[in-house]
Amino acid sequence: MRRTMLYLPGNNPNMLTRGYLFGSDGIILDLEDAVAMVEKDTARILVSKYLQQGEFGDCYVSVRINGIDTEYWKDDLAAIVPNKRLDGIRVPKVEDENTVKIIDEELSRLEEQNGLPVGKLSLHCLLETAHGIWNAYEIAKASPRIEAIIPGGEDLRADLKTNRSDDSTELEWARRMLVFAARAAGVEPLDTVFARITDDEGLRKETEFIKQLGFSGKSIIHPNQIKIIHDIFTPTEQEIAKAQKIIAAAKEAAARGQGAVTVDGKMVDIPVVKRAEYTLVRAGLA
Ligand SMILES: CC(C)(COP(=O)(O)OP(=O)(O)OC[C@H]1O[C@@H](n2cnc3c(N)ncnc32)[C@H](O)[C@@H]1OP(=O)(O)O)[C@@H](O)C(=O)NCCC(=O)NCCSC(=O)C[C@@](O)(CC(=O)O)C(=O)O
Ligand SMILES: [Mg+2]
């Protein structure tokens, strides 16, 4: 489950230490935009030490490195790859499949050098420009390491030369495109952050919207955002009961040689059963 992925600024020992305790599905130790230029080296050392010694429970642990257009990314990877508890890398500003290939090759080299299975580390790619979004499908297919693609809403707004509206109209096309690309490529579409940390109602509305689009989770910047998102992405008792009813009715119908059947006045056929099964899978994981 990747319902929530919490960013922890890599130069903030308090947030790094307590980050996993808030109960998000994953954490992202950030070396990129949450860290000022003058703090890049300090953050890298801190994150590497923390990966060696920290507690993480069963959280998915990732690090957001600096982009390949910076002088930092190779040092970032060299410092974090040897840590066994690391699950994946979040790569910012992914423009095209070439960006993925460059990271993939460097990762393979470092995994081999450190005696780790080549391909162990997964990639979560941030698409943060119009160019990156345009290439979403090629990016998502560029390596078997890729587990998720994510729109970087804040950077994307800058690239689109627009700004943040209340309902994020400016991101709508990019979000739809990204979900299609991810699903077509068989990777997870995860959503960008919601910046208004005290606006619970706004977060709820946005999360319901992106779930309806097909996203399977969201990046977050504050622990208060976790519960709202988990509530929306975790199937309710009612949804579970409905899914069980659909599956049972479809089984009985199949035994009678029927492909479609009616449950509570609505047609149930194979795609409806698939959706019901997906609900039960998510309920089980949650
Ligand atoms: C916003 C604020 C400063 C507010 O802090 P404040 O301290 O004022 O908040 P308070 O409410 O007072 O905190 C109450 C208690 O919770 C603790 N606490 C808060 N946040 C915590 C946290 N994240 N982890 C652990 N602990 C936390 C805090 O330490 C305090 O603990 P304590 O003092 O002990 O009581 C803080 O949250 C924060 O820094 N967030 C992360 C910001 C960040 O990483 N940005 C970069 C990633 S996005 C990006 O790059 C966009 C993107 O690239 C990509 C994309 O979309 O994916 C794009 O282009 O779109
Ligand atoms: Mg960004």
Side-chain angles (χ1 to χ4, degrees), residues 68-88:
I68 62 160
D69 57 340
T70 70
E71 63 192 272
Y72 308 114
W73 71 278
K74 280 193 178 176
D75 289 341
D76 292 346
L77 285 181
I80 60 173
V81 167
N83 294 288
K84 293 208 169 58
R85 187 55 183 82
L86 185 66
D87 295 310

Side-chain angles (χ1 to χ4, degrees), residues 166-168 194 196 198-209 218 225 228 232:
D166 282 350
D167 60 0
S168 293
F194 184 76
R196 301 193 297 271
T198 53
D199 179 5
D200 292 356
E201 205 34 57
L203 175 62
R204 189 166 289 116
K205 209 170 141 200
E206 175 161 296
T207 307
E208 275 161 359
F209 175 66
K218 197 163 169 60
Q225 300 182 316
I228 294 171
I232 293 168

Side-chain angles (χ1 to χ4, degrees), residues 7 32-33 64 92-93 126 128 152-156:
Y7 276 107
E32 202 219 12
D33 285 356
R64 179 166 72 169
K93 319 276 180 335
L126 273 168
E128 312 197 69
E154 297 301 333
D155 275 295
L156 190 54

Side-chain angles (χ1 to χ4, degrees), residues 21 37 39 70 81 105 161 176 178 182 194 218 221 226:
L21 291 170
M37 291 298 169
E39 291 269 280
T70 70
V81 167
E105 274 173 30
K161 303 200 172 11
R176 288 181 192 274
L178 190 130
F194 184 76
K218 197 163 169 60
I221 51 171
I226 296 170

Side-chain angles (χ1 to χ4, degrees), residues 6-9 12 14-16 18-19 22 28 30 32-34 64 90 93 126 128 150-157 191-195 197 219-224:
L6 175 64
Y7 276 107
L8 311 173
N12 186 321
N14 176 35
M15 291 192 194
L16 283 177
R18 296 176 33 192
F22 296 108
I28 309 157
D30 193 16
E32 202 219 12
D33 285 356
R64 179 166 72 169
R90 181 168 282 224
K93 319 276 180 335
L126 273 168
E128 312 197 69
I150 310 116
E154 297 301 333
D155 275 295
L156 190 54
R157 287 181 180 101
D191 193 36
T192 187
V193 298
F194 184 76
I197 56 174
S219 312
I220 55 172
I221 51 171
H222 195 284
N224 288 353

Side-chain angles (χ1 to χ4, degrees), residues 58 64 80 101 131 149 159 163 168 219 223 237:
D58 56 3
R64 179 166 72 169
I80 60 173
K101 297 246 176 300
H131 191 235
I149 55 173
D159 194 52
N163 43 46
S168 293
S219 312
E237 294 292 322

